[in-house]
Amino acid sequence: MIVSRAPDSIHPFLRDASNLDGGAAEAVWLPQTEQEVIQVITTARQQGKRLTISGGRTGLVGGAVPTGAENGWILSTERIRPEPVIDVANLSITVGAGIRLFELREAAAKQNLFLPPDPTEPTCTVGGMVATNASGAHTFRYGATRQWVQQLCVVLASGQRLRLNRGEVIANGTTAELSTLEGSTIRLKFSDLPIPSIKNASGYFLKSGMDLVDLFIGMEGTLGVVTSVTFRLIPIPNARLGGVVFFRELQPLLRCASEIRSRSRNPNARLNSNILEFADWNALQLVREKFPAIPDDAFGGGIWIEQNLGSDDDAQILEEWMELFQRHEAMMEESWFGEHEQELARMRELRHAIPSSVYEFLTANGQTKIGSDMAVPESGFEELYSFYRQQFADSGLATVTYGHLGDCHLHANILLDGSHQLPQAKLVYDSFVAKAIELGGTVSAEHGIGKLKRRYLRQMLGSHAIESMRQAKQTLDPDELLGAGTLFEF
Ligand SMILES: Cc1cc2nc3c(=O)[nH]c(=O)nc-3n(C[C@H](O)[C@H](O)[C@H](O)COP(=O)(O)OP(=O)(O)OC[C@H]3O[C@@H](n4cnc5c(N)ncnc54)[C@H](O)[C@@H]3O)c2cc1C
């Protein structure tokens, strides 16, 4: 097994995409197998070292950055990469935790299958996806990572192993028993958390009668090391219509989005989008150089849509889309529509370029990410977004907003070019959190809590719920070996 102790080899593991400062570790361990993971955990216990689990380090909240404990170690999963195994008959794929999302996609595509959850950054690992319950554009139609996990292999902080198949270990009310492969039984007692019934990645999933596989989805490296995952897959649609549709004004765009949302949720409607993504004018400006086909008067922003085709209704579906966009004053001539894979890929590239450019900007300016990840129920969305815009306008800060409009979940980012703006940016961000909570929302819909959003988690869930999470942590990791400083204050 590779162990790196040289500062130069450790250095790249001290940052994720949040740009959180202050990471420090004595060593990075790179196990390749489950047995080697157990070996790292056992050695860490013997030597009194804490472990931070690191996947692709594309996380946006510092979960993979070891800032929680002095002299700890990093356990990187990036070499846990046995060949993916596809079960075509059962539509599933089993992958090692270190497999990157794009590699999983390539393997599945060879069998004409795909995994719907699609966090915008394809270099994330599947272990990281599970640990953060990642989601993306397709979540609008297909749900988050949680809905697609069939089996998890997890090594616990004790070095014992769990194999959890969905549907097999169900809590009896708020108590549950987990049997390890080594033959011991772990008894878990918890209280229900007030989990909002919207897209959510804020804290543990603790719910009466829950499936125990769900406890390890979204646990952010604090309850065990995920070594292998089996996902359900679905067939790649025969044909798809994609579109990036630009608007001169915001209000018609929002009205159009609202109609797409409700028609897509109606099982009898012909018009039915898999995605409903958004970028505001500032976000489009940020990537204009790379994408000169963005119209220079799309002041209202742009939305992304995608609908499966391949039925007798295709012509009618196209007509309905065009009628909808025209009625809502979209820039029909300048918008992008296409059905070829190359055209769809270009649309995805544009969407990916926006968060990437935000990351590049912040890295160039040495700043930590301050960007919202809150989602709210549909009834509160317009109020929240109008609050964001008002606060941004009053603050005079440089901002870009984009994200998952279909799920009422936007990333409103502040582009700090110097630390002098930090106190003001934090105040603005705090006001966003308070507003989202007031509207029944979640403080993290997909990036997780990590080290950057702990106090917001407490603000959202309350002390009682945090205590319930702590009890679960205490049961599974009593010595706090894993993920120090993530989710909980250390
Ligand atoms: C440009 C860009 C766009 C993004 N867009 C999205 C998006 O649309 N949706 C979204 O959900 N996220 C998005 N992200 C965030 C990020 O890609 C996801 O959070 C991703 O799931 C993190 O995976 P990772 O392998 O990089 O994990 P890391 O960053 O390495 O780790 C994340 C957390 O998971 C834990 N962890 C990692 N692997 C394991 C494991 N095997 N076992 C136990 N714990 C583990 C870590 O300890 C840490 O707490 C984006 C990031 C970037 C840079």
Side-chain angles (χ1 to χ4, degrees):
M1 173 169 25
I2 296 178
V3 190
S4 301
R5 295 183 192 275
D8 280 359
S9 317
I10 296 174
H11 186 72
F13 290 88
L14 300 181
R15 280 211 174 231
D16 68 3
S18 70
N19 279 332
L20 175 65
D21 258 341
E26 275 182 351
V28 181
W29 294 73
L30 293 122
Q32 269 183 291
T33 61
E34 191 179 56
Q35 276 312 313
E36 288 185 350
V37 169
I38 295 170
Q39 196 184 323
V40 177
I41 286 183
T42 310
T43 315
R45 295 186 72 83
Q46 284 163 354
Q47 299 192 20
K49 304 293 180 189
R50 289 200 156 80
L51 287 173
T52 298
I53 306 165
S54 166
R57 296 187 303 287
T58 69
L60 294 168
V61 287
V65 182
T67 59
E70 290 294 306
N71 309 322
W73 291 344
I74 293 165
L75 187 160
S76 165
T77 60
E78 66 186 33
R79 285 167 59 84
I80 308 179
R81 313 170 37 82
E83 265 306 294
V85 177
I86 300 200
D87 181 341
V88 178
N90 289 309
L91 297 181
S92 69
I93 186 167
T94 300
V95 277
I99 292 288
R100 310 272 169 167
L101 174 59
F102 73 88
E103 295 171 313
L104 181 155
R105 282 183 185 152
E106 283 167 11
K110 286 185 189 147
Q111 302 294 340
N112 207 29
L113 296 171
F114 88 108
L115 175 70
D118 57 343
T120 319
E121 180 50 61
T123 61
C124 68
T125 62
V126 299
M129 275 178 76
V130 168
T132 57
N133 188 27
S135 54
H138 279 130
T139 297
F140 176 54
R141 172 159 183 181
Y142 297 106
T145 297
R146 181 182 307 287
Q147 279 88 333
W148 296 87
V149 173
Q150 253 182 352
Q151 189 199 56
L152 286 184
C153 299
V154 181
V155 180
L156 298 172
S158 61
Q160 301 202 39
R161 294 163 302 158
L162 294 175
R163 293 277 178 282
L164 291 164
N165 287 305
R166 187 166 287 286
E168 273 183 17
V169 190
I170 307 294
N172 179 7
T174 54
T175 55
E177 287 191 352
L178 286 163
S179 303
T180 68
L181 294 187
E182 286 69 24
S184 54
T185 302
I186 301 164
R187 289 189 177 79
L188 187 69
K189 187 146 180 43
F190 58 90
S191 312
D192 265 335
L193 293 197
I195 301 168
S197 56
I198 52 174
K199 189 176 173 187
N200 184 40
S202 304
Y204 295 159
F205 187 96
L206 290 172
K207 196 173 177 189
S208 203
M210 66 185 279
D211 189 319
L212 267 291
V213 81
D214 284 324
L215 178 59
F216 294 88
I217 302 170
M219 53 78 184
E220 300 191 49
T222 61
L223 297 178
V225 184
V226 173
T227 54
S228 161
V229 189
T230 303
F231 291 107
R232 283 190 300 125
L233 300 173
I234 56 173
I236 296 177
N238 296 335
R240 274 177 291 192
L241 165 73
V244 184
V245 184
F246 299 103
F247 291 78
R248 283 197 184 83
E249 288 180 43
L250 178 64
Q251 287 313 322
L253 179 152
L254 292 177
R255 283 194 292 271
C256 184
S258 174
E259 186 174 338
I260 294 171
R261 209 184 279 125
S262 62
R263 283 171 76 172
S264 299
R265 298 245 152 94
N266 175 356
N268 300 318
R270 217 180 258 118
L271 188 151
N272 183 352
S273 192
N274 297 333
I275 67 175
L276 178 50
E277 297 285 291
F278 168 71
D280 76 353
W281 166 244
N282 292 348
L284 295 176
Q285 289 292 86
L286 197 64
V287 293
R288 170 179 300 289
E289 242 174 67
K290 285 187 213 154
F291 295 87
I294 295 173
D296 54 16
D297 53 352
F299 307 118
I303 58 172
W304 281 247
I305 58 105
E306 178 198 282
Q307 167 144 16
N308 299 345
L309 298 177
S311 73
D312 294 344
D313 283 350
D314 283 2
Q316 195 114 24
I317 289 170
L318 284 175
E319 224 173 83
E320 286 194 21
W321 276 113
M322 296 311 132
E323 185 281 324
L324 171 89
F325 289 133
Q326 248 151 7
R327 186 159 38 81
H328 289 290
E329 303 161 36
M331 301 168 70
M332 299 303 284
E333 296 294 316
E334 296 87 344
S335 294
W336 309 358
F337 295 100
E339 292 179 35
H340 295 294
E341 187 41 46
Q342 250 178 331
E343 294 169 306
L344 300 180
R346 186 71 179 150
M347 295 175 199
R348 283 196 293 271
E349 258 173 55
L350 170 60
R351 176 63 185 80
H352 178 249
I354 294 167
S356 286
S357 303
V358 168
Y359 172 58
E360 281 159 24
F361 178 94
L362 294 173
T363 304
N365 288 288
Q367 299 299 317
T368 303
K369 185 172 163 71
I370 299 192
S372 77
D373 184 29
M374 285 79 85
V376 288
E378 199 169 336
S379 55
F381 175 70
E382 295 232 349
E383 186 175 339
L384 182 69
Y385 186 34
S386 120
F387 184 79
Y388 285 175
R389 295 200 309 279
Q390 190 58 52
Q391 293 290 309
F392 278 163
D394 293 348
S395 73
L397 291 161
T399 67
V400 296
T401 301
Y402 55 89
H404 316 292
L405 187 52
D407 295 307
C408 302
H409 169 213
L410 295 185
H411 301 303
N413 283 268
I414 300 171
L415 296 186
L416 293 178
D417 57 12
S419 297
H420 62 283
Q421 296 169 313
L422 197 58
Q424 189 195 5
K426 282 189 169 158
L427 281 179
V428 170
Y429 188 82
D430 285 359
S431 72
F432 288 0
V433 171
K435 189 74 183 170
I437 293 175
E438 176 196 315
L439 293 167
T442 173
V443 296
S444 170
E446 67 181 10
H447 299 155
I449 299 299
K451 299 180 174 87
L452 287 175
K453 298 191 174 167
R454 289 178 305 217
R455 88 185 155 87
Y456 302 122
L457 181 68
R458 183 174 284 276
Q459 198 177 334
M460 170 186 162
L461 293 179
S463 309
H464 183 68
I466 300 290
E467 205 35 54
S468 179
M469 283 176 47
R470 262 199 192 282
Q471 272 170 18
K473 167 83 174 162
Q474 182 69 24
T475 306
L476 289 160
D477 180 15
D479 302 322
E480 302 198 354
L481 184 83
L482 300 174
T486 292
L487 290 176
F488 309 101
E489 300 286 340
F490 183 59

